[in-house]
Amino acid sequence: MRNYRYRGYLIDLDGTLFRGKEVIPEGLQFIEKLEERGLSYLYLTNNSSRRPEQVAEKLRGFGYPAHPEQVVTSSAATARTLVESFGRPPSVYPIGEEGLVCALEGAGCRIVTDRPDAVVVGIDRTFSYDKMKTAVLAIRAGARYFGTNGDLVLPTEEGLLPGSGSLCTAVAVASGVKPTLIGKPEKPIVDMALKRLGLPPEETVIVGDNLATDIQAGVNTGIDTLLVFTGVTTPKEHAGADISATYTLDSLKDWDFI
Ligand SMILES: [Mg+2]
């Protein structure tokens, strides 16, 4: 095999490989070329609502080769971080959807409402005053507070909807405690992906469309980044920002695998 500077790719999903319900064809070619070259890659998503199996299924629906083990979600990284920071699977009160609850249970965490060791907040489309109250009282009684990811809004066809970060903020304001965040641009999700990839950071590149999450994740972890302008960040925004990607491309078809 040729010597490649980057042997591992951590690849964002929405805006990079597809847009909503539409595949980005250059993304398909990109993954095909990674496969041909025998390079390693993982799919890295802040979406905490789905299980890795469901994310892989969605990717396969677009034509991407994807196994659940290739998908790192913010929920999986949160569960791993919890077990590591407590030194055992803690009891948890989660505000979140199936993806979060499954990840926590899969890591051995007990789901409780009374006196949890930790509170975890992720996107929850049935968020309510009662859930917020349970979380806030638990944090005020000493539970440690984690958030799957800090994305304040979610771009959708309807417009920008409240994201995990907005729910985390509500609980933070009412409890007086800021959460430890796990998803991009924070380090824990990247650490988990690197570990699974089995490669050092200098041989890895983060690929994504979002300066504030994907590219900032690279800046925070010392990993090179490839920003593709098929999603949220525009060339103008990148040019005016105080961080910059290692590489920028209009389309992934223009990447020569260095
Ligand atoms: Mg994206």
Side-chain angles (χ1 to χ4, degrees):
M1 192 170 116
R2 210 186 97 182
N3 266 341
Y4 290 99
R5 172 164 178 196
Y6 301 112
R7 295 196 295 144
Y9 286 71
L10 302 177
I11 307 167
D12 173 57
L13 303 183
D14 209 347
T16 303
L17 299 180
F18 56 81
R19 250 185 315 255
K21 294 184 174 90
E22 237 177 85
V23 70
I24 298 177
E26 294 83 356
L28 283 173
Q29 295 164 19
F30 180 77
I31 299 291
E32 214 170 278
K33 288 181 190 164
L34 284 172
E35 291 272 349
E36 282 166 15
R37 286 162 176 75
L39 296 166
S40 303
Y41 62 93
L42 293 174
Y43 302 109
L44 212 56
T45 176
N46 268 4
N47 184 344
S48 66
S49 68
R50 290 168 186 249
R51 291 182 284 113
E53 292 81 358
Q54 294 167 314
V55 176
E57 198 182 308
K58 180 172 182 180
L59 283 165
R60 286 197 302 273
F62 287 121
Y64 289 100
H67 303 288
E69 310 75 57
Q70 288 177 294
V71 177
V72 177
T73 68
S74 61
S75 287
T78 300
R80 179 181 184 264
T81 303
L82 281 174
V83 174
E84 277 182 358
S85 48
F86 282 88
R88 61 179 164 82
S91 62
V92 181
Y93 176 67
I95 294 181
E97 297 184 12
E98 186 187 359
L100 180 60
V101 174
C102 286
L104 292 170
E105 287 179 337
C109 299
R110 214 158 36 88
I111 306 295
V112 299
T113 48
D114 195 31
R115 304 207 147 266
D117 297 319
V119 167
V120 179
V121 176
I123 184 84
D124 183 342
R125 279 156 291 194
T126 58
F127 186 78
S128 67
Y129 184 86
D130 271 350
K131 289 182 181 181
M132 189 172 158
K133 173 178 154 185
T134 304
V136 166
L137 290 176
I139 295 165
R140 288 198 173 273
R144 288 168 65 183
Y145 176 27
F146 296 81
T148 58
N149 59 299
D151 301 62
L152 292 174
V153 292
L154 286 179
T156 75
E157 281 134 23
E158 288 175 84
L160 292 177
L161 303 186
S164 163
S166 291
L167 309 187
C168 286
T169 302
V171 171
V173 171
S175 65
V177 177
K178 282 190 181 147
T180 300
L181 296 171
I182 306 298
K184 294 179 282 185
E186 307 301 329
K187 206 164 173 285
I189 192 169
V190 178
D191 286 345
M192 179 177 180
L194 281 179
K195 198 160 188 196
R196 195 178 291 181
L197 211 51
L199 288 172
E202 58 274 16
E203 291 180 34
T204 305
V205 61
I206 295 175
V207 183
D209 67 299
N210 189 327
L211 192 70
T213 54
D214 305 309
I215 306 312
Q216 186 70 54
V219 170
N220 292 350
T221 55
I223 295 179
D224 285 349
T225 51
L226 166 53
L227 176 63
V228 62
F229 296 123
T230 49
V232 303
T233 298
T234 62
K236 200 177 159 197
E237 282 164 358
H238 178 252
D242 51 8
I243 60 163
S244 59
T246 319
Y247 311 97
T248 58
L249 290 175
D250 288 330
S251 158
L252 286 179
K253 77 173 182 324
D254 300 325
W255 178 246
D256 0 280
F257 292 77
I258 53 173

